[in-house]
Amino acid sequence: MTNASRKCVVIHNGSCSTVAGFSNMELPKCIIPSSYVKRNNDEKRIFGTFEMLDETEKNESTSNVYTLIDGRGYPYNWEDLEAQWRYIYEEHLKVSPAELPLVISVPASNGDTDMKIMEKFFDLAFNKLKVPILQILIEPLAIALSMGKSSALVVDIGARGCNVTPIVDGTVVKSGVMKSKFGGDFLDYQITNSEFFNKEYDATNLSSCEMWFSSNTWLQQFKSTMLQVSDKNYSELERYYELQRQQQQQQQQAFPNFALNPLTQKKNFLFKKSKTVTLELRDSYKLAESLFEPKDALKAQGESQVQSHSQPHLQQPASNIGLSELMSKSIRKAGAGVSSTGTLGGGGTGASLTLNEKGSQHNTNASSNSQLTNGVANPATSGITSEQVYSLLLTNVIITGATSLIAGMEQRIINDLSIRFPQYKLTTYANQIMMDRKVQSWIAMNSMSNLPNWELGKWYTKQDFDLLKQSQSHKN
Ligand code: ATP
């Protein structure tokens, strides 16, 4: 296949939204929820943002919202995923799946690739949809490489949680991949259970339609307009302003009322047509602080109650620590992992996921397409010290995911990392265009599928799938 005729379909299935489009276009064709509505008495699945909003607003007792992606970021409901991809092809892309190559993504993981999941992807693409060729990209690796960075710390704050992925010399350092369950859904839970809404909105007794509708309407608006991340730990911030107020009061004894605490500034949010909710600035900070200090929020509400807001039935195999702690742990683990073995524990370099004939995971080198197996030392990184790894990661911190759009997030990440790693230079990269940050994974996948040569990516055909199946059956 020549580059001139190159055009692929690119689909990114996030836990909250699915983004799809063509590789020869700058912007995706559609951004739809990674969920659907189904009525009990009807076989039809309702996909699409507006279609789902219309249906969930009715809040009929026979309708329910179902999700497609599990807490690890992998699909768990393959029939429904097939239905979603068919809907995307028919309604938005208006091409047959058999016409164009397909590029999809998987999250980085700290273990070996689950071969059952890869088999399901191949089965869906080759047997069910008859896709001619398929490329599977590792999402954070594609983000880093598409920004021209072969080493980076990718901090993705999405809906289901936060994923931190260290990448050194084009390879995911598996030992440093960290996940927490504190993301946009956790914030939704905090907001709806806060004193401002718990009288208006009984979060304990909602149907899945009501939950989904709230998550995708007023809660999203509330997070983007009302929440603010403080530049330091919230309790320090309170102490700082209180001290400042006392000093001002002493200096202006004649006008004590002018010494106001800025945290008491009022902010209004139009919750319902005739209901305005008023918060103080301190409340905006306090709610957003739950991403950094989730223990305090968990203590206040009882740990066992905290579940993903829009997907309450799913358990999340993730860490219980806040964002700053998560980043710092990831960096330290990556440093220890790489320097102790001189290897990257995840194979070679390049964003495409490669599976050897034995079924273990490795990557292809974007420049040489060399096949490296799991755990083989990468000469470029042999003998690298943990300090060098820290430095590589800290000078390339990429902040992505729509929850990172909350005001003040980037500054707080910089401040917290500089406290934890004071001797290192720190540089962060966060796309300042709101829409681009929301679809950053898709844009990165798009760039990776547009490399100047087809051979730079690892493309699978149906024959590869058959070989993989054969080797799996020999193993069993
Ligand atoms: P994941 O990364 O968990 O797989 P995803 O990639 O589908 O999920 P994103 O689209 O990155 O998730 O993030 C979705 C979350 O971001 C939702 O909780 C949504 O409410 C929230 N969100 C969307 N826009 C904003 C905004 N402007 N400010 C704050 N939060 C936002």
Side-chain angles (χ1 to χ4, degrees):
M1 210 173 309
T2 64
N3 283 341
S5 63
R6 190 160 78 176
K7 177 177 171 186
C8 324
V9 167
V10 180
I11 302 180
H12 167 63
N13 278 106
S15 67
C16 169
S17 50
T18 294
V19 189
F22 296 110
S23 63
N24 62 348
M25 290 183 178
E26 300 260 308
L27 284 175
K29 277 275 184 194
C30 67
I31 305 172
I32 60 168
S34 293
S35 42
Y36 64 92
V37 185
K38 193 164 160 294
R39 296 189 199 107
N40 287 346
N41 46 5
D42 192 351
E43 276 307 297
K44 193 173 160 239
R45 301 171 181 90
I46 301 172
F47 291 106
T49 313
F50 297 112
E51 293 85 342
M52 282 185 72
L53 283 172
D54 286 346
E55 192 60 29
T56 50
E57 193 175 14
K58 292 184 215 153
N59 191 25
E60 285 170 3
S61 59
T62 52
S63 298
N64 276 306
V65 175
Y66 297 89
T67 57
L68 303 172
I69 309 292
D70 70 12
R72 299 173 304 159
Y74 291 114
Y76 69 101
N77 196 336
W78 294 90
E79 266 180 36
D80 294 336
L81 186 72
E82 179 187 346
Q84 192 214 33
W85 283 11
R86 284 192 191 280
Y87 164 81
I88 291 172
Y89 274 104
E90 280 161 27
E91 299 294 324
H92 295 277
L93 305 180
K94 301 193 190 301
V95 290
S96 152
E99 270 178 56
L100 295 170
L102 173 64
V103 182
I104 58 169
S105 65
V106 289
S109 102
N110 51 13
D112 279 340
T113 306
D114 188 336
M115 290 316 296
K116 287 210 176 87
I117 287 183
M118 291 309 128
E119 244 182 76
K120 296 257 189 203
F121 269 127
F122 287 145
D123 181 44
L124 173 56
F126 297 128
N127 291 344
K128 306 244 165 74
L129 298 180
K130 312 279 181 232
V131 167
I133 47 172
L134 173 74
Q135 184 173 190
I136 306 177
L137 296 171
I138 301 169
E139 185 189 344
L141 198 50
I143 292 177
L145 293 179
S146 69
M147 291 173 73
K149 300 191 175 302
S150 58
S151 296
L153 185 76
V154 182
V155 181
D156 180 357
I157 317 169
R160 207 60 84 67
C162 177
N163 297 328
V164 183
T165 312
I167 293 161
V168 177
D169 202 31
T171 304
V172 171
V173 186
K174 284 188 175 182
S175 57
V177 175
M178 303 282 301
K179 291 171 194 279
S180 85
K181 57 186 172 186
F182 307 113
D185 288 348
F186 179 66
L187 279 180
D188 291 356
Y189 181 86
Q190 294 300 318
I191 295 163
T192 48
N193 282 281
S194 67
E195 58 192 285
F196 313 103
F197 294 101
N198 62 8
K199 284 198 197 83
E200 310 291 334
Y201 184 90
D202 180 9
T204 51
N205 244 340
L206 294 181
S207 67
S208 60
C209 284
E210 275 174 291
M211 268 188 188
W212 187 90
F213 186 77
S214 302
S215 263
N216 286 274
T217 50
W218 69 268
L219 273 166
Q220 217 176 92
Q221 220 174 353
F222 184 89
K223 286 188 285 188
S224 68
T225 56
M226 301 296 283
L227 293 194
Q228 191 137 1
V229 176
S230 57
D231 61 356
K232 47 171 97 57
N233 181 296
Y234 173 73
S235 43
E236 270 176 49
L237 191 81
E238 276 279 5
R239 268 202 303 276
Y240 169 78
Y241 280 123
E242 183 51 27
L243 208 68
Q244 208 183 41
R245 193 188 64 80
Q246 285 170 6
Q247 281 169 355
Q248 278 177 9
Q249 213 167 8
Q250 280 166 5
Q251 284 160 10
Q252 307 169 352
Q253 276 177 355
F255 309 101
N257 289 341
F258 282 101
L260 283 178
N261 184 338
L263 293 179
T264 57
Q265 267 175 46
K266 299 268 190 284
K267 284 172 112 180
N268 294 315
F269 178 72
L270 186 65
F271 173 47
K272 285 177 186 162
K273 268 185 200 147
S274 55
K275 174 79 190 165
T276 303
V277 173
T278 305
L279 274 81
E280 288 189 348
L281 184 57
R282 63 155 54 82
D283 303 314
S284 306
Y285 283 135
K286 226 196 274 182
L287 283 168
E289 186 69 14
S290 59
L291 291 180
F292 292 85
E293 299 290 341
K295 274 191 203 130
D296 297 347
L298 289 171
K299 242 186 252 158
Q301 278 161 358
E303 199 156 339
S304 58
Q305 287 182 36
V306 177
Q307 289 171 322
S308 162
H309 182 265
S310 45
Q311 296 90 17
H313 58 290
L314 292 172
Q315 293 296 318
Q316 302 199 37
S319 176
N320 253 354
I321 53 177
L323 178 56
S324 308
E325 204 52 45
L326 198 74
M327 291 185 296
S328 141
K329 230 174 161 175
S330 167
I331 295 169
R332 289 186 202 284
K333 284 198 168 191
V338 174
S339 63
S340 65
T341 59
T343 73
L344 296 168
T349 54
S352 331
L353 185 79
T354 310
L355 310 163
N356 65 15
E357 64 284 358
K358 288 197 188 86
S360 66
Q361 170 200 343
H362 58 271
N363 304 315
T364 53
N365 187 319
S367 55
S368 67
N369 203 23
S370 64
Q371 303 269 309
L372 299 169
T373 50
N374 240 345
V376 173
N378 183 343
T381 52
S382 300
I384 193 168
T385 64
S386 49
E387 283 73 23
Q388 284 168 319
V389 175
Y390 292 178
S391 172
L392 278 173
L393 297 179
L394 288 163
T395 44
N396 295 293
V397 179
I398 300 172
I399 302 166
T400 179
T403 301
S404 71
L405 285 164
I406 296 173
M409 184 68 81
E410 190 175 0
Q411 192 55 50
R412 174 64 177 274
I413 289 177
I414 294 174
N415 293 355
D416 281 6
L417 281 177
S418 13
I419 292 169
R420 286 169 170 79
F421 300 92
Q423 66 276 45
Y424 294 94
K425 181 178 180 291
L426 193 72
T427 319
T428 54
Y429 299 86
N431 203 321
Q432 296 307 316
I433 302 165
M434 193 172 115
M435 190 58 195
D436 285 2
R437 181 106 56 106
K438 282 191 174 182
V439 296
Q440 192 159 357
S441 300
W442 184 87
I443 292 176
M445 289 166 69
N446 203 346
S447 309
M448 295 314 292
S449 58
N450 274 322
L451 290 173
N453 196 321
W454 280 92
E455 280 71 46
L456 294 177
K458 173 68 192 162
W459 292 92
Y460 290 99
T461 57
K462 179 139 184 354
Q463 284 77 19
D464 295 316
F465 173 45
D466 294 338
L467 273 176
L468 182 76
K469 269 211 322 212
Q470 264 174 28
S471 73
Q472 289 290 98
S473 62
H474 281 311
K475 253 187 178 175
N476 300 333

